Amino acid sequence: MHRWIRILLLCVCSVSARAESPRPFTVQLTAEPASLDPSLVEDGLSLRVLNLVLRGLTAYDGEGRVQLALAEELEPLPRGKNKSPGLRAVIRKDALWSDGTRITAADFMYAFKRGLDPDTASRLADLLFVIRGARDYKTGKLSDFAAVGIKAIGDRELRFEFDEPCGYFPHVLASIIAVPQRPGAKSYNGPYVFEKDSPAGVIGLSRNPRWPLPPVGPDRVEFRLVAEDAPSLALLQSGGLDVLLRVPTLELRRLREQGKIAEFPLRATYYLGFNQRRLFWRDKQARRAVVSAVSRADILELQQGDGEQACSWLPSALGGPRVCPPPPRPPGMRSTLFVAAVPEDLALAFDGGSRNQLIAEKIQVDLKKAWGIDATLKARDWKSHLQALYRGDVGMFRFGWLSVILDAYAHLSLFRSDSPNNHTGWKNQEYDALLDKIATKPEGPVRQRLIERAAALIDEEAVALPLFHYKMTVALSPRAKGLRVNPLGLLDLSGVK
């Protein structure tokens, strides 16, 4: 029996076995989440699940606007003589954990301390570095957390102090690194809670009776792990899935004609990276040679409209250019010098899936055509691909970057020298200094010029090749027509019954 048929039968049987309970709203998981620990989470899959069970002081709505969530007040601290800029937050009186326990400022303090602890392998803690002393505490230069600019005032008030003003900090408070936590307790404070009896391959959620705001969607939600294209399509047709989060590229046109496709803007970039910890990729001319060989226009055409042309590292909605410059000319070294230096085991590493396979094969063809290079393709499952990147076991790789807040700084921060997510290993003092300035400048022409210069450095140094900026293209059952996806890829179920 084919593996995908077994998956289909398993899901159908799961639906039948739970017929006595309300039919869940079912969402595809394309891979197993890397982590559901809010201090360790990093990937979009995990964030999509956790956003339904954990909320912070602020949250994004379905359009990507920041709104108050667990905070009832959020206001700047008074600026007196010799006082640092800062922000004051007051927690809602009716903010409760799912077990009925009141959420306090101490729960937030525990989460911030845990995320910034040098022994916690948090990949998003750098979002908190605008807080006075946070970077030094994370790097071990500061040992006393009491010296960090986060204070609890009683049970309901938090105060944040910065070295410089930070206009985007309400966005940071909406991120997963800023949700409250309790030591050793599996409690949740979002609109849903995890179900305890979910079968293997299923993450079940039920409504949180303690959620203080209006209900946000169906009574029950199930995320179902269906990684392969054939069974996921079959389940959509049979009613076993309401939302297909990865639409097979070759099926996109047909599903669009059937009216089953919905598209949402997504502030994320699909890119080709080069690990400069490897000797060959330290050579900027080698990186530029690959950049010049790959046809981004052809790759976007392969996507059948599922993406935005990548004119630079930044999507246009985050300040990137809307009109692309001419493609780069090939470096002047040509094949004699470049090809002679290419290692025999040159490979492109990527996580599996029909789209990634198609794009990897196109890059392989482009390199052969431009330089006569035979690059091998190394496909792995999602978790194995992540681990290979963490270990630095890849040279050239496919990856995507979805910043967890809607600000250009977060999108650019991927390539900061000390970013744990910078799998290229690129380090540049000018770039780091630009990011420091961007973090403290208010919106306006000065900040925009700094953003443009930082993005230009990525192109000049051929740090990575942005192949396209994502759209969130999903296939929906009739029941799911009210679904919205915000620009961070988070699900808004308020329109789903």
Side-chain angles (χ1 to χ4, degrees):
M1 184 182 290
H2 289 295
R3 180 169 179 264
W4 71 266
I5 295 177
R6 293 198 299 270
I7 294 172
L8 176 58
L9 290 174
L10 174 63
C11 290
V12 171
C13 289
S14 174
V15 172
S16 300
R18 306 186 70 162
E20 70 280 357
S21 60
R23 179 180 177 273
F25 182 74
T26 52
V27 182
Q28 179 193 23
L29 271 181
T30 57
E32 185 179 348
S35 173
L36 292 177
D37 183 329
S39 291
L40 303 179
V41 65
E42 59 170 303
D43 63 308
L45 295 172
S46 306
L47 290 169
R48 196 168 288 128
V49 175
L50 285 178
N51 181 63
L52 294 176
V53 298
L54 290 170
R55 294 291 170 91
L57 295 166
T58 63
Y60 286 108
D61 67 9
E63 303 299 324
R65 296 179 293 250
V66 175
Q67 298 182 333
L68 295 181
L70 297 185
E72 66 179 34
E73 294 179 33
L74 196 65
E75 61 183 12
L77 287 175
R79 289 292 303 274
K81 186 177 181 181
N82 298 325
K83 285 190 176 181
S84 301
L87 202 65
R88 170 180 175 268
V90 178
I91 301 168
R92 297 172 61 107
K93 293 180 181 178
D94 57 357
L96 301 175
W97 291 105
S98 53
D99 63 2
T101 306
R102 188 172 300 281
I103 297 172
T104 68
D107 298 326
F108 283 94
M109 293 296 291
Y110 172 77
F112 288 125
K113 184 177 181 180
R114 181 172 179 243
L116 289 169
D117 191 305
D119 293 331
T120 301
S122 173
R123 309 189 78 83
L124 298 177
D126 58 337
L127 290 174
L128 302 174
F129 287 174
V130 293
I131 299 170
R132 179 172 49 78
R135 183 191 297 272
D136 286 345
Y137 186 79
K138 184 67 177 176
T139 57
K141 295 179 181 178
L142 183 66
S143 60
D144 185 4
F145 187 72
V148 177
I150 313 173
K151 308 297 178 189
I153 311 297
D155 285 343
R156 294 185 53 224
E157 184 175 332
L158 288 159
R159 294 185 181 180
F160 303 92
E161 298 176 355
F162 316 125
D163 290 320
E164 299 288 343
C166 181
Y168 66 83
F169 195 68
H171 292 258
V172 174
L173 294 178
S175 69
I176 197 67
I177 196 65
V179 301
Q181 299 179 40
R182 290 194 296 172
K186 290 187 177 180
S187 295
Y188 312 100
N189 62 21
Y192 290 91
V193 297
F194 286 118
E195 295 179 345
K196 296 180 180 179
D197 58 345
S198 297
V202 174
I203 299 175
L205 309 178
S206 297
R207 277 191 182 175
N208 179 4
R210 309 288 184 178
W211 176 241
L213 300 174
V216 297
D219 290 339
R220 294 185 58 238
V221 178
E222 283 189 355
F223 288 90
R224 295 184 177 175
L225 178 59
V226 190
E228 299 175 33
D229 292 339
S232 64
L233 279 170
L235 285 166
L236 181 72
Q237 299 291 349
S238 68
L241 280 175
D242 290 307
V243 182
L244 213 62
L245 290 177
R246 186 177 67 201
V247 181
T249 301
L250 298 178
E251 297 289 340
L252 188 55
R253 180 174 288 114
R254 179 179 66 85
L255 292 171
R256 188 177 278 126
E257 290 172 351
Q258 294 176 358
K260 294 182 178 180
I261 294 297
E263 295 178 323
F264 304 92
L266 189 64
R267 308 297 180 247
T269 300
Y270 187 113
Y271 71 95
L272 183 66
F274 313 104
N275 181 5
Q276 295 185 35
R277 301 174 188 88
R278 299 286 185 93
L279 180 62
F280 176 71
W281 294 115
R282 291 176 197 165
D283 185 349
K284 180 169 69 174
Q285 294 302 317
R287 302 193 301 271
R288 289 183 62 210
V290 173
V291 168
S292 70
V294 176
S295 173
R296 290 186 280 188
D298 288 351
I299 287 175
L300 191 60
E301 187 175 345
L302 283 176
Q303 297 297 100
Q304 299 186 25
D306 186 17
E308 172 193 329
Q309 188 174 13
C311 299
S312 81
W313 175 249
L314 287 175
S316 58
L318 291 178
R322 295 183 181 275
V323 179
C324 293
R329 292 183 178 182
M333 50 202 261
R334 291 308 297 173
S335 60
T336 303
L337 295 178
F338 171 62
V339 176
V342 173
E344 292 183 3
D345 61 347
L346 184 74
L348 169 56
F350 63 100
D351 48 310
S354 60
R355 174 168 68 174
N356 293 347
Q357 182 74 37
L358 199 63
I359 291 171
E361 290 172 356
K362 179 64 174 67
I363 294 171
Q364 186 183 47
V365 169
D366 285 350
L367 290 176
K368 180 70 173 179
K369 180 180 178 181
W371 298 105
I373 295 171
D374 292 309
T376 59
L377 304 182
K378 288 189 176 180
R380 297 180 173 94
D381 65 81
W382 173 239
K383 277 192 170 182
S384 298
H385 186 57
L386 280 178
Q387 292 302 318
L389 289 170
Y390 298 159
R391 296 191 302 267
D393 289 348
V394 299
M396 180 169 56
F397 59 91
R398 180 234 76 100
F399 210 54
W401 178 243
L402 170 65
S403 53
V404 296
I405 66 171
L406 293 177
D407 188 88
Y409 171 82
H411 210 71
L412 292 165
S413 68
L414 173 66
F415 297 118
R416 191 179 188 111
S417 297
D418 58 359
S419 169
N421 303 302
N422 182 4
H423 302 303
T424 70
W426 180 63
K427 299 180 185 295
N428 185 286
Q429 291 183 348
E430 179 188 356
Y431 188 82
D432 293 348
L434 285 167
L435 289 187
D436 288 340
K437 293 177 182 177
I438 292 167
T440 60
K441 295 295 182 185
E443 293 288 342
V446 173
R447 190 175 196 258
Q448 181 58 30
R449 285 195 292 271
L450 294 170
I451 289 169
E452 290 172 358
R453 175 56 191 152
L457 261 179
I458 296 171
D459 290 338
E460 292 169 10
E461 294 293 315
V463 180
L465 175 61
L467 296 174
F468 58 88
H469 303 302
Y470 288 90
K471 287 181 185 176
M472 190 70 180
T473 301
V474 297
L476 305 177
S477 72
R479 184 188 183 192
K481 293 301 182 183
L483 175 76
R484 291 189 298 170
V485 183
N486 77 12
L488 291 170
L490 305 177
L491 305 182
D492 178 358
L493 303 179
S494 60
V496 177
K497 304 302 181 185

